[in-house]
Amino acid sequence: MEKEKVFLELSEIAQKFSSTQSLRNLKTFNGPYNDQETNLRALSHILIVLIFVDKKKYAREIEWIVNEFQDGLKKPYDNNFCFRIPNNNKDSVNGLIGISWAAEAVFYAKDRIDIKNLDKKIIKILLNHPFNKYYWERVLPCGTVAGIDFT
């Protein structure tokens, strides 16, 4: 019974994004810090929901999201995605959680849809993050290593 309830709730969420127009210019905010996120951060979550609920029904929207990820890695900024609108001296990558959400979405999608080699690009981005004995460091889209995010 609980699984059916969750599926119905996810179906309602998916229905809200049943057109590519509804996926443009999302206004979402990051947890307790209330930082405005980029579309890619929200699309990471929406991609999983649409595939899980009905990948055939939402095929057009799913393809659009995959293309948005591809567009988010255009040179010279192909070292990471922008996940947060920079403000108050905060980076645009949202520490490591930004790329983690994208990786989760891409690897969930990998065996279910054509992700156009996004998995290889995500692995490259993840491997570019230095580990300094105790912590992972951030990498900005331009390739600059930005140190540890203590939030």
Side-chain angles (χ1 to χ4, degrees):
M1 186 66 167
E2 188 64 31
K3 287 182 183 179
E4 293 169 354
K5 183 179 177 184
V6 170
F7 185 80
L8 286 174
E9 289 176 13
L10 289 174
S11 295
E12 288 176 17
I13 292 168
Q15 189 59 39
K16 293 178 182 179
F17 302 105
S18 61
S19 73
T20 57
Q21 186 61 37
S22 64
L23 297 169
R24 299 174 200 274
N25 302 314
L26 300 169
K27 298 287 186 222
T28 58
F29 297 86
N30 176 24
Y33 302 105
N34 205 31
D35 296 326
Q36 187 176 353
E37 302 169 334
T38 65
N39 255 22
L40 285 178
R41 170 81 182 253
L43 292 174
S44 297
H45 304 303
I46 295 168
L47 178 62
I48 293 173
V49 170
L50 295 178
I51 292 170
F52 179 78
V53 169
D54 191 337
K55 70 179 181 182
K56 289 181 182 172
K57 178 178 179 179
Y58 298 110
R60 184 179 46 142
E61 292 79 12
I62 290 167
E63 181 179 4
W64 186 85
I65 292 172
V66 169
N67 288 333
E68 286 293 295
F69 272 96
Q70 293 286 355
D71 289 346
L73 289 175
K74 299 289 186 198
K75 288 187 182 255
Y77 302 105
D78 60 348
N79 296 288
N80 205 343
F81 296 100
C82 289
F83 292 105
R84 173 172 56 196
I85 308 299
N87 66 17
N88 299 326
N89 298 320
K90 293 183 181 181
D91 62 56
S92 63
V93 294
N94 196 198
L96 287 177
I97 196 65
I99 189 60
S100 299
W101 287 127
E104 178 186 47
V106 167
F107 292 117
Y108 178 80
K110 182 179 186 289
D111 295 328
R112 295 167 176 86
I113 63 168
D114 177 13
I115 58 169
K116 304 176 183 176
N117 291 321
L118 272 175
D119 57 331
K120 292 179 177 90
K121 292 177 182 180
I122 293 283
I123 289 170
K124 178 184 170 245
I125 290 170
L126 290 169
L127 291 175
N128 282 339
H129 283 74
F131 187 74
N132 77 358
K133 189 175 180 181
Y134 299 107
Y135 301 100
W136 293 101
E137 296 189 48
R138 299 166 292 152
V139 176
L140 302 180
C142 64
T144 300
V145 175
I148 299 166
D149 180 6
F150 288 101
T151 57

